[in-house]
């Protein structure tokens, strides 16, 4: 358990170190500058070319607004039935496919309200009115030096345009101020289109697509800025300048009021197309949300660490080594085991030999002679230094040596010899037994 706790704590410390390291080394990227030549028309974007201000204003004003992050085909499903107004603001980052164009036209024909805002009129995206054709002409084009955040630069020599007639879309609108890059819409009647060789197809002449002529709401001598027309049971609104609804220009004149009229004239749920702005649900939402933060780097490092732990689990990185053999027996256990073995084998001579050899060594040291000196010399020296009898001590030593050398004995005689040896130790104050016990205890 202690080993597992150590591993867990080590893992937590490593993760904490990674988080701290990534946080310290993280450098926040500065917001990239907007360019009118390559705008970002997403409602998530708060720059001058984005639509964040319009989306947030509608949402906070109580209108039902969502960001549509699925393909137009989903408008024909159950989830798309709640959408009343669909808003496409170009130039989109992802182009519309033929299948998406067809799905969008079918949705409008069933009663949808499409608001298309772009300087380029894409007749493949917006439904084509029966016989009538819309074409756009751009009077000026932005370049890399154009600053979308500079109102003077965007509206240089531009005159505010009033409505050409009172309509639902121009309600409470006195004038709007487009950018100098706004295109003008030209409405081509059916006769002129037929002469040009662009007669409507059979599918477009079906009753579901029959419509009246497009209605011009705001225009000048160059052409129309805002038109709308019916398509089947639905309606299409075309505004030829995104600057009017973008963050940089929506506050000018009555641009905001015009945007509100276009998007809320039918009521219901308003859906901004975010799928073609690169915010579709098919992309990694987690990565998109944490893009530009150290969270992704931290998550990748933690995942790598987990994989490393799993890969190294129970894997040997060196030659196998035997486990260390630790002798857990104490000295007293060894002595007790030897005594039991000697008793069972009746090896009394071994017991006498173990005890007498140590006693003789201590007696020789006490007498001041060599260990190999004779019994008589050791006994005489001991007797001269103590009250022991030299003859008795020599006899005891001789009896012990005879037993060691093979003299028959029994356990009673052996115990008696050991008792007499301990008495000699006690008389001389050698205390060998207490010293042995203390040494054995210290070695446990």
């Amino acid at each position: 358990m202690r080993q597992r706790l150590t591993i867990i704590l080590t893992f937590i410390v490593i993760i904490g170190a990674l988080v701290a390291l990534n946080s310290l080394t993280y450098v926040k990227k500065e917001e990239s500058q907007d360019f009118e030549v390559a705008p970002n028309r997403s409602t998530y974007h708060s720059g001058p070319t984005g639509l964040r201000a319009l989306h947030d204003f509608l949402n906070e004003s109580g209108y039902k607004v969502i960001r549509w992050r699925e393909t137009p085909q989903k408008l024909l499903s159950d989830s798309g039935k709640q959408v009343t107004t669909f808003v496409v603001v170009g130039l989109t980052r992802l182009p519309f496919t033929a299948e998406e164009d067809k799905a969008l036209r079918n949705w409008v024909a069933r009663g949808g309200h499409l608001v298309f805002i772009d300087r380029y009129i894409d007749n493949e995206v917006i439904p084509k009115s029966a016989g009538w054709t819309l074409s756009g002409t751009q009077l000026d084009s932005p370049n890399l030096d154009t600053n979308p955040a500079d109102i003077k630069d965007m509206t240089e020599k531009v005159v505010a345009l009033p409505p050409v007639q009172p309509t639902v879309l121009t309600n409470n609108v006195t004038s709007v101020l487009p950018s100098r890059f706004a295109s003008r819409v030209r409405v081509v009647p059916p006769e002129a289109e037929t002469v040009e060789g662009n007669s409507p197809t059979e599918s477009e002449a079906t009753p579901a697509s029959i419509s009246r002529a497009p209605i011009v709401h705001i225009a000048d001598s160059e052409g129309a800025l805002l038109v709308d027309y019916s398509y089947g049971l639905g309606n299409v609104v075309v505004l030829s300048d995104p600057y009017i609804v973008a963050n940089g220009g929506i506050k000018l004149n009555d641009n905001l009021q015009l945007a509100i009229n276009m998007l809320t004239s039918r009521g219901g749920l308003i859906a901004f197309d975010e799928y073609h702005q690169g915010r579709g649900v098919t992309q990694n939402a987690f990565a998109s949300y944490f893009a530009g933060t150290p969270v992704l780097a931290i998550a990748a490092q933690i995942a790598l660490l987990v994989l490393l732990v799993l890969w190294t689990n129970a894997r040997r990185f060196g030659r196998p080594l035997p486990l260390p053999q630790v002798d857990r027996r104490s000295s007293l256990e060894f002595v007790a085991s030897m005594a039991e073995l000697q008793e069972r084998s009746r090896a009394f001579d071994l017991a006498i030999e173990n005890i007498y050899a140590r006693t003789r060594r201590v007696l020789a040291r006490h007498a001041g002679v060599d260990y190999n000196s004779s019994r008589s010399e050791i006994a005489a020296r001991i007797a001269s230094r103590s009250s022991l009898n030299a003859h008795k001590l020599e006899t005891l030593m001789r009896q012990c040596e005879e037993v060691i050398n093979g003299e028959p004995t029994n356990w009673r005689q052996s115990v008696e010899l050991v008792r007499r040896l301990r008495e000699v130790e006690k008389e001389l104050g050698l205390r060998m037994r207490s010293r042995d016990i203390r040494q054995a205890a210290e070695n446990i």
Side-chain angles (χ1 to χ4, degrees):
M1 183 62 185
R2 182 178 298 177
Q3 184 178 4
R4 292 183 179 180
L5 180 61
T6 303
I7 294 174
I8 294 174
L9 293 178
T10 304
F11 192 74
I12 294 175
V13 170
I14 293 175
I15 293 179
L18 290 177
V19 172
L21 180 62
N22 284 277
S23 300
L24 292 175
T25 58
Y26 166 68
V27 179
K28 184 178 181 180
K29 295 182 180 179
E30 297 182 357
E31 292 288 340
S32 59
Q33 181 182 355
D34 269 0
F35 294 96
E36 190 66 24
V37 68
N40 182 358
R41 303 300 185 188
S42 171
T43 57
Y44 290 98
H45 185 50
S46 58
T49 63
L51 275 71
R52 177 77 175 270
L54 176 59
H55 175 274
D56 292 352
F57 177 83
L58 293 174
N59 187 43
E60 294 174 2
S61 299
Y63 296 102
K64 297 179 181 180
V65 184
I66 63 170
R67 293 180 170 100
W68 189 262
R69 299 174 58 190
E70 300 186 69
T71 62
Q73 288 91 323
K74 291 293 183 178
L75 291 171
L76 303 176
S77 63
D78 293 337
S79 60
K81 292 180 180 180
Q82 301 178 359
V83 178
T84 302
T85 302
F86 191 72
V87 186
V88 179
V89 184
L91 176 66
T92 58
R93 296 190 172 186
L94 298 178
F96 280 78
T97 63
E99 292 77 9
E100 293 171 350
D101 293 337
K102 183 178 179 181
L104 189 59
R105 289 194 296 267
N106 291 337
W107 178 79
V108 176
R110 295 181 183 183
H113 180 59
L114 173 64
V115 178
F116 182 84
I117 306 174
D118 194 12
R119 293 166 186 156
Y120 171 71
I121 307 302
D122 190 350
N123 288 291
E124 298 296 329
V125 176
I126 61 175
K128 187 175 181 181
S129 178
W132 299 86
T133 303
L134 301 181
S135 63
T137 302
Q138 193 166 353
L139 305 178
D140 194 5
S141 300
N143 53 43
L144 292 177
D145 295 329
T146 303
N147 184 6
D150 188 353
I151 297 177
K152 293 183 178 180
D153 187 16
M154 293 294 294
T155 61
E156 183 180 4
K157 299 180 181 180
V158 175
V159 179
L161 301 180
V164 297
Q165 58 180 323
T167 63
V168 175
L169 298 184
T170 60
N171 184 36
N172 295 327
V173 175
T174 302
S175 65
V176 296
L177 187 62
S179 68
R180 60 190 175 96
F181 309 110
S183 62
R184 297 299 187 270
V185 178
R186 186 169 65 93
V187 180
V188 181
E191 294 78 6
E193 186 183 54
T194 304
V195 173
E196 294 175 2
N198 296 325
S199 57
T201 62
E202 182 179 353
S203 61
E204 292 171 342
T206 59
S209 301
I210 295 176
S211 64
R212 298 182 299 271
I215 299 174
V216 177
H217 300 268
I218 299 177
D220 60 6
S221 59
E222 301 293 339
L225 186 72
L226 176 65
V227 299
D228 85 306
Y229 59 91
S230 59
Y231 182 81
L233 300 177
N235 177 261
V236 180
V237 177
V238 178
L239 178 64
S240 60
D241 188 17
Y243 182 72
I244 294 177
V245 298
N247 298 331
I250 196 170
K251 61 183 178 181
L252 304 177
N253 292 38
D254 293 329
N255 291 359
L256 175 59
Q257 184 61 51
L258 178 64
I260 294 175
N261 293 344
M262 289 189 303
L263 302 182
T264 64
S265 60
R266 294 286 294 272
L269 182 62
I270 304 170
F272 284 87
D273 179 23
E274 286 294 340
Y275 177 83
H276 293 94
Q277 300 296 345
R279 301 279 185 166
V281 294
T282 55
Q283 298 180 351
N284 193 324
F286 178 85
S288 300
Y289 183 82
F290 291 104
T293 68
V295 175
L296 295 179
I298 294 174
Q301 292 169 353
I302 293 177
L304 181 62
L305 184 61
V306 171
L307 292 177
L308 181 61
V309 171
L310 295 177
W311 181 71
T312 57
N313 187 27
R315 181 178 294 273
R316 187 175 65 244
F317 288 93
R319 64 183 181 85
L321 297 176
L323 293 175
Q325 298 294 332
V326 180
D327 189 2
R328 300 183 180 275
R329 296 176 303 173
S330 64
S331 299
L332 291 180
E333 291 176 339
F334 172 77
V335 172
S337 300
M338 290 297 297
E340 184 177 0
L341 291 175
Q342 291 173 1
E343 182 179 0
R344 290 185 178 183
S345 62
R346 306 187 66 81
F348 302 115
D349 56 337
L350 294 177
I352 298 298
E353 182 179 3
N354 292 332
I355 298 175
Y356 174 75
R358 298 179 63 184
T359 303
R360 180 184 176 85
R361 184 169 54 252
V362 174
L363 291 175
R365 186 183 304 116
H366 185 75
V369 296
D370 187 71
Y371 176 79
N372 295 322
S373 299
S374 62
R375 296 189 299 269
S376 58
E377 183 180 0
I378 296 175
R381 289 290 187 97
I382 293 295
S384 64
R385 297 184 179 186
S386 65
S387 60
L388 293 177
N389 185 278
H391 176 71
K392 290 182 178 180
L393 179 58
E394 181 181 359
T395 302
L396 175 62
M397 296 176 64
R398 178 178 55 77
Q399 291 174 347
C400 290
E401 292 176 0
E402 289 176 351
V403 172
I404 294 174
N405 293 326
E407 181 73 19
T409 185
N410 54 41
W411 69 273
R412 293 184 181 276
Q413 294 176 351
S414 299
V415 171
E416 178 64 21
L417 292 176
V418 171
R419 184 187 63 78
R420 292 166 60 186
L421 288 176
R422 296 307 183 192
E423 288 181 354
V424 172
E425 295 174 5
K426 183 178 180 181
E427 181 69 24
L428 297 177
L430 300 180
R431 302 178 59 85
M432 288 182 56
R433 182 172 178 79
S434 61
R435 184 183 62 186
D436 293 341
I437 295 175
R438 184 176 65 254
Q439 291 179 351
E442 291 176 356
N443 295 329
I444 295 178

